[in-house]
Amino acid sequence: MEQFTNSLQGLWVTFVNILPDLLGALLLLVLAWIIATLVKKAVVKGLTVIHFDNKLVKWGVAATVADAQHIIGSLGKVFYYLIWLFFIPGILAQIGLANIALPITNMFDNFMAFLPKLFGAVIILTIGYFVAKFVKELVQSLLESLNVDRWLSKYTRASDQANQSSTTPVAVQKNTIARVLANVAFVIVLIPVLTMALETLEIRSISEPIVNVLTQVLAAIPNILVAVILLIVGTLIAKYVADLLEGLLGNAGINRFSHYLNPTGTSRLNLSQVIAKIVQAVIIVFFTVEALNAVNLEVLNTIGLAIISYLPSILIGLIILGLGIFGGNALSAFLKESTGSSLLGEVVKYMLYVLAVFMTLDQLQFASTIVNTAFLFIMGGLAIAFALAFGLGGREFAKLQLQKLDNKIEEDTANTDIIAQKTTNPDITSQETEIEEKLNGPL
């Protein structure tokens, strides 16, 4: 009996000893519930007063106002449970369960230690955003005041429609040079701001790769600007040289040879303009390769070297092809005029065409072995076909053509002799004139 009494007495003493802790835990529970409920109602009420539900619908977060109100209620619940999380470690520690609350306590300690870093990063991003936006608007206003778009359209000889669009206010246009350059300036200013904000957070597993990428991008920006400047300058120089060369060649009368480039003998092709455009393209290619080298990327450098090394082959191929077409048409016209045979002129012309095409392919190094073999087969086949046609089935035709050629040569020789006699003996010409006057005189 005495042992039972001692047990009850010990239990009572233990209850009395933990009663203050239990009362403290209950008070914390009540206090946590009151504060969490008040915070929840304050969040929901505050967001409703500022019409946050309409803003959610406007931003596309919610489809209807009812959905937006449901989202606001969910946000209130989130703050409600966050308040409970703040009180749970103290409640558990009050009843002697501090070890259970230790992970939650550590989490909140880390979160509270991270809050100043997060706050600092937000401040840096906010200030940087406004600075970048200010720079963007400043650059755009400056370029619009200088009217860069109209100047560029005039220099590049844009179409009438482009000129009309350039006379409109620049702010109305969606894609303008001023706006593009302003956005570029905005990005350039914002990149170091993002780098500073990420370094402020000190989350190395996330921040270090992103910071490295942003640092490389920031380091490449000067090279990219140099490349863009080279492209712009190269385009302007190429256009100036092309216009100058087109004028010089036009004044030199090179366009009179344009009809030889058309099989019909008449052509609207402006030969001086074609040559000027080729020179312009070559200059732009050189400046493009130099711009790629300025970016200082190994892949782009390799591409640039390949373009430069292959460019002479392309130019020589174009020259060979042009000379083949020019020579084929000129020789065809000469043969048609001298022999009176259209067939002979056409055969010679297309033979020169084929020869020029195969020489161009060989110069461009397009499967040289296949091209050479195909050329030999084609020429051999044409020769055999020509020989068989004239040797077996076209004897009379060949005889007739050769007779026409012989008569043409004799006629030209006779005309040349008569002209020479008239030139050396003017009496013959005067006598012929008197005879013609007597014959044509009045009867």
Side-chain angles (χ1 to χ4, degrees), residues 43 66 86-87 129 141 150 165 182 191 218 265 304 319 341 355 404 435:
V43 169
F86 275 108
F87 278 91
Y129 173 78
S141 301
R150 183 182 299 178
S165 64
I191 286 176
L218 191 62
I319 293 173
S341 175
L355 181 62
K404 287 183 179 180
I435 294 172

Side-chain angles (χ1 to χ4, degrees), residues 306-365:
I307 293 173
I308 291 296
S309 61
Y310 194 66
L311 188 60
S313 299
I314 297 176
L315 294 178
I316 296 174
L318 290 175
I319 293 173
I320 293 173
L321 188 61
L323 290 176
I325 297 174
F326 179 84
N329 291 325
L331 187 57
S332 175
F334 173 76
L335 291 175
K336 289 178 182 178
E337 182 179 356
S338 60
T339 63
S341 175
S342 300
L343 178 62
L344 181 60
E346 292 295 324
V347 169
V348 172
K349 179 178 67 175
Y350 285 107
M351 285 180 65
L352 287 177
Y353 281 1
V354 173
L355 181 62
V357 169
F358 277 97
M359 290 178 66
T360 302
L361 293 176
D362 183 67
Q363 180 64 36
L364 295 177
Q365 299 177 359

Side-chain angles (χ1 to χ4, degrees), residues 44-63:
V44 173
K45 187 67 175 178
L47 294 177
T48 304
V49 169
I50 64 174
H51 302 289
F52 191 69
D53 49 356
N54 295 329
K55 293 182 179 180
L56 289 176
V57 175
K58 183 179 179 181
W59 294 340
V61 178

Side-chain angles (χ1 to χ4, degrees), residues 2 46 105 109 131 146 196 216 225 248 266 314 351 374 401:
E2 183 178 359
T105 304
D109 291 340
V131 171
L146 295 176
M196 293 174 60
Q216 292 177 2
L225 292 178
L248 292 175
T266 58
I314 297 176
M351 285 180 65
Q401 294 298 323

Side-chain angles (χ1 to χ4, degrees), residues 21-22 88-105:
D21 297 331
L22 288 175
I88 284 176
I91 295 171
L92 294 176
Q94 190 69 29
I95 59 178
L97 300 176
N99 292 330
I100 299 176
L102 187 60
I104 301 176
T105 304

Side-chain angles (χ1 to χ4, degrees), residues 160-181:
D160 295 337
Q161 184 177 0
N163 290 330
Q164 292 175 1
S165 64
S166 64
T167 57
T168 58
V170 182
V172 178
Q173 302 180 17
K174 293 183 178 180
N175 297 318
T176 61
I177 300 298
R179 182 165 296 183
V180 171
L181 294 178

Side-chain angles (χ1 to χ4, degrees), residues 208-223:
E208 284 186 358
I210 300 176
V211 168
N212 291 333
V213 172
L214 293 177
T215 303
Q216 292 177 2
V217 172
L218 191 62
I221 286 176
N223 296 332

Side-chain angles (χ1 to χ4, degrees), residues 49-231:
V49 169
I50 64 174
H51 302 289
F52 191 69
D53 49 356
N54 295 329
K55 293 182 179 180
L56 289 176
V57 175
K58 183 179 179 181
W59 294 340
V61 178
T64 60
V65 177
D67 293 337
Q69 292 175 353
H70 179 71
I71 293 174
I72 292 175
S74 300
L75 290 176
K77 291 180 179 179
V78 169
F79 281 95
Y80 177 82
Y81 290 114
L82 283 176
I83 298 298
W84 274 105
L85 286 176
F86 275 108
F87 278 91
I88 284 176
I91 295 171
L92 294 176
Q94 190 69 29
I95 59 178
L97 300 176
N99 292 330
I100 299 176
L102 187 60
I104 301 176
T105 304
N106 293 333
M107 181 186 69
F108 274 100
D109 291 340
N110 294 330
F111 178 73
M112 296 304 294
F114 182 72
L115 278 180
K117 300 176 184 178
L118 182 62
F119 184 70
V122 171
I123 292 176
I124 292 173
L125 282 176
T126 304
I127 296 174
Y129 173 78
F130 284 108
V131 171
K133 189 175 182 180
F134 172 77
V135 173
K136 173 185 174 181
E137 293 177 355
L138 178 63
V139 172
Q140 184 173 352
S141 301
L142 180 61
L143 294 177
E144 287 176 357
S145 63
L146 295 176
N147 213 346
V148 176
D149 297 280
R150 183 182 299 178
W151 176 81
L152 185 62
S153 63
K154 286 183 179 180
Y155 188 82
T156 54
R157 294 180 182 178
S159 59
D160 295 337
Q161 184 177 0
N163 290 330
Q164 292 175 1
S165 64
S166 64
T167 57
T168 58
V170 182
V172 178
Q173 302 180 17
K174 293 183 178 180
N175 297 318
T176 61
I177 300 298
R179 182 165 296 183
V180 171
L181 294 178
N183 290 327
V184 171
F186 177 81
V187 173
I188 292 174
V189 174
L190 197 60
I191 286 176
V193 173
L194 291 174
T195 304
M196 293 174 60
L198 290 173
E199 290 179 346
T200 304
L201 293 176
E202 295 183 358
I203 306 176
R204 299 189 180 277
S205 59
I206 299 176
S207 63
E208 284 186 358
I210 300 176
V211 168
N212 291 333
V213 172
L214 293 177
T215 303
Q216 292 177 2
V217 172
L218 191 62
I221 286 176
N223 296 332
I224 295 175
L225 292 178
V226 172
V228 172
I229 293 173
L230 283 173
L231 287 175

